[in-house]
Amino acid sequence: MLDVKMVREQPDRVRERLASRGAGDEARLDDVLALDEERRAALAEVESLKAERNRSSKEIGALMAQKKLEEAETRKQQVREIGARIAALDATLDGIETRRHDLLSRLPNLPHASVPPGRTADDNPVVREWGTKAEFAFDPLPHTELCQRLRLVDFERGTKLSGSGFLLYTGWGARLERALIQFLLDLHTREHGYTEVSPPFIIGRDCMFGVGQFPKFEDQAYAVREGEDNGSLGKLYLLPTAEAPVANIHRDEILAEADLPIRYAAYSPCFRAEAGAAGVGTRGMIRVHQFDKVELIKIVRPEEGYDELEKLVANAERVLQLLGLHYRAVLLCTGDMGFASAKTYDLEVWAPGQGQYLEVSSCSNCEDFQARRMALRYKNSEGRNVLPHILNGSGTALARLFVALIETHQQADGSIRIPEPLQPFLGTDVIRP
RNA sequence: GGAGAGAUGGCUGAGUGGUUUAAAGCGCACGCCUGGAAAGCGUGAGUGGGCUUAUACCCCACCGGGAGUUCGAAUCUCCCUCUCUCCGCCA
């Protein structure tokens, strides 16, 4: 959520930054400003009436103590009228505040000044490349073929169980998935200084609102029904990313400055309805309704936000380097960024069997956008409450990493060579048919 | 799932309709005292919003959340959530 005071004081800058996203959000800015103005006018009026009522009620108490009952009755009648006006104004004010909050909560974050202008993913500059595209003396197979030959994933039966977009990992495939999760968690906790947390996979609305998933992207979430028909549908949701619960761990708290920076690493499955994306790139494991991910979350002082973002990206890149996977880092342009983010790097790993790069990590600094939504603050050395920057990054998403891994390290005999750092976790150096 | 008890500031805990602008204690910060400390004494200290150059003053709201009664609600009524104890069920 944007700071209303900032919107009020720098409307032109806010308008320009919103416009740079190219989603037309700046069109709603005038409504926000008008509602804000209305709110403050109504607030001034109702507050002065309340002050008057408070004074009068106190006087009535004094009159009654002095047994001046008739005078007290007269005053009561007067205050009753004030009360009626307050009730009416409060109702008006409530409507204004609801509309203002709703509008404001649907406005995306402002892109940081260092974010390149652009409209689509084609405008994202590549900021870094590591390794080179794997060369093969044979025709590399796509992961779907590899999975079937090595019995790593049973696509048909996954679909039988839960519909398209759900995977049944089998044998070495299931074991590889588990090994990757453990490899990632150990890497980030032992070498990168993150504290491991394991959050609930079913979460409340407040978590979804806090990170900016709700109210705008409600149709993307799976809602959970508790029991048969007790009306609880919609209160709880399957998490779309561990970012949602983990970033909210300290919601509605005032941390000490010494608590920062906070760094969490969390494994979770991620559930995404992908409404409207049916039939687009749905083959195999590239786009699915459920995938595993290790997510990294940081809560830091604003002055350290962007240094921490660079470190976060480096932590995610380390994963791909250790697994010997060629990748590139791109900086998302203004038009391609997510709702809550002020600046985002994506890591795209090369998948030889696909002949394309796959997004396996997205690392963002959301600045204070989420902290404001969830009322997360820390007390600084001057005793003021400050909104920290909240960062999130995939470290990394698994189904696609799995794809890049087996496609990159496939060998002529149909086996998969396992990169050395992963071998202790999997218990083998090669997966054979 | 059933029965009971409870939710007040950083913590403990008083307050059951009006000087409560929420007592008191502990803890905290600063000052005095001291060679230094402890003790003692004094002062201060919550969150959000409005006004404002202001993190000054003043005003509004906040005693788990929401609705209601009243001139006036921490206090009375209703609903919800959560915590604790006991019972049942259960990986």
Side-chain angles (χ1 to χ4, degrees), chain A residues 177-313:
Chain A
E177 183 77 359
R178 173 163 59 88
L180 282 167
I181 292 167
Q182 189 132 346
F183 163 70
L184 295 173
L185 283 171
D186 278 7
L187 174 67
H188 294 307
T189 54
R190 288 183 186 165
E191 296 185 31
H192 298 155
Y194 293 81
T195 301
E196 185 172 345
V197 292
S198 180
F201 299 158
I202 297 177
I203 58 179
R205 296 192 63 85
D206 290 346
C207 288
M208 297 292 264
F209 181 86
V211 294
Q213 287 281 336
F214 284 5
K216 204 169 174 186
F217 306 105
E218 236 174 300
D219 59 339
Q220 296 295 323
Y222 285 106
V224 174
R225 184 195 299 275
E226 188 191 341
E228 269 306 305
D229 56 353
N230 63 5
S232 70
L233 180 68
K235 283 163 72 179
L236 294 171
Y237 302 84
L238 294 182
L239 79 176
T241 160
E243 173 199 354
V246 176
N248 275 281
I249 287 173
H250 301 287
R251 181 208 312 152
D252 218 7
E253 290 182 22
I254 301 176
L255 303 170
E257 189 165 23
D259 294 335
L260 307 183
I262 290 172
R263 287 182 267 258
Y264 290 130
Y267 155 74
S268 87
C270 301
F271 302 91
R272 299 188 179 179
E274 302 288 357
V280 185
T282 49
R283 188 178 290 278
M285 304 167 68
I286 309 296
R287 184 183 288 272
V288 287
H289 290 307
Q290 177 186 332
F291 60 94
D292 292 307
K293 179 158 63 65
V294 168
E295 182 76 0
L296 306 174
I297 296 291
K298 290 186 181 186
I299 300 169
V300 307
R301 301 190 304 164
E303 50 270 40
E304 287 156 359
Y306 283 95
D307 285 346
E308 292 289 343
L309 177 60
E310 297 300 323
K311 290 184 197 164
L312 178 59
V313 179

Side-chain angles (χ1 to χ4, degrees), chain A residues 24 30 44 58 75 126 134 193 205 227 232 263 287 353 399 406 413 433:
Chain A
D30 285 330
K58 203 162 281 185
R75 293 299 301 277
V126 175
R205 296 192 63 85
S232 70
R263 287 182 267 258
R287 184 183 288 272
I406 63 175
D413 64 356

Side-chain angles (χ1 to χ4, degrees), chain A residues 14 17 36 69 85 125 133 150 178 215 245 250 262 269 281-282 284 289 302 332 342 347 354 358 373 392 406:
Chain A
V14 173
R17 289 277 79 193
D36 181 54
L69 297 183
R85 288 172 63 196
K133 293 176 185 172
L150 294 165
R178 173 163 59 88
H250 301 287
I262 290 172
T282 49
H289 290 307
L332 298 198
L347 299 184
Q354 309 296 303
L358 303 176
R373 289 172 89 95
N392 70 82
I406 63 175

Side-chain angles (χ1 to χ4, degrees), chain A residues 2 18 21 107-111 339-342 365-369:
Chain A
L2 299 178
L18 283 179
R21 281 176 165 268
L107 285 180
N109 203 356
L110 305 182
F339 180 77
S341 177
N365 183 3
C366 296
E367 299 190 354
D368 62 13
F369 188 84

